[in-house]
Amino acid sequence: MRTRAHIFVSGRVQGVGFRMYEVDKAEDLSLAGWVRNLDDGRVEIVAEGEEADVEAFADWCKSGPESAGVSHSRVSYSEANDEYDGFNIRYTNA
């Protein structure tokens, strides 16, 4: 079954390559969606794919890459709507 995770990660997650690692991990799991920095210092992620892969990705986000210092991760799940082509970094909040 395909699912979507909407994830917010806080801690030392900006300026440490977090988004690039997210893209690599998402691509390894064949997920679609995006990642972006928020003005308040958090990172926001939307990932869609097979349920087991999305759950594995969400679990990975709880710690992220070695360069990061994740202090909190919040995940909500919903049904995938398959609106994304690939996984990319969004550079604006639009």
Side-chain angles (χ1 to χ4, degrees):
M1 179 162 94
R2 293 184 57 77
T3 192
R4 168 190 283 213
H6 191 183
I7 307 165
F8 291 92
V9 182
S10 56
R12 189 175 39 117
V13 293
Q14 291 190 16
V16 294
F18 193 85
R19 291 175 299 164
M20 293 301 294
Y21 282 102
E22 293 291 312
V23 170
D24 289 344
K25 186 66 171 178
E27 288 176 347
D28 287 346
L29 294 169
S30 299
L31 302 180
W34 50 266
V35 57
R36 69 178 170 189
N37 285 341
L38 297 175
D39 291 340
D40 63 5
R42 296 179 300 160
V43 171
E44 180 181 20
I45 308 140
V46 172
E48 292 188 343
E50 293 301 319
E51 185 173 11
D53 295 328
V54 172
E55 288 176 353
F57 180 76
D59 283 343
W60 183 84
C61 289
K62 292 177 183 176
S63 59
E66 275 187 32
S67 58
V70 175
S71 61
H72 184 72
S73 174
R74 181 173 52 109
V75 183
S76 60
Y77 293 97
S78 61
E79 188 175 319
N81 60 13
D82 298 318
E83 68 181 274
Y84 306 110
D85 183 25
F87 196 94
N88 58 62
I89 296 173
R90 287 192 174 175
Y91 291 98
T92 65
N93 288 340

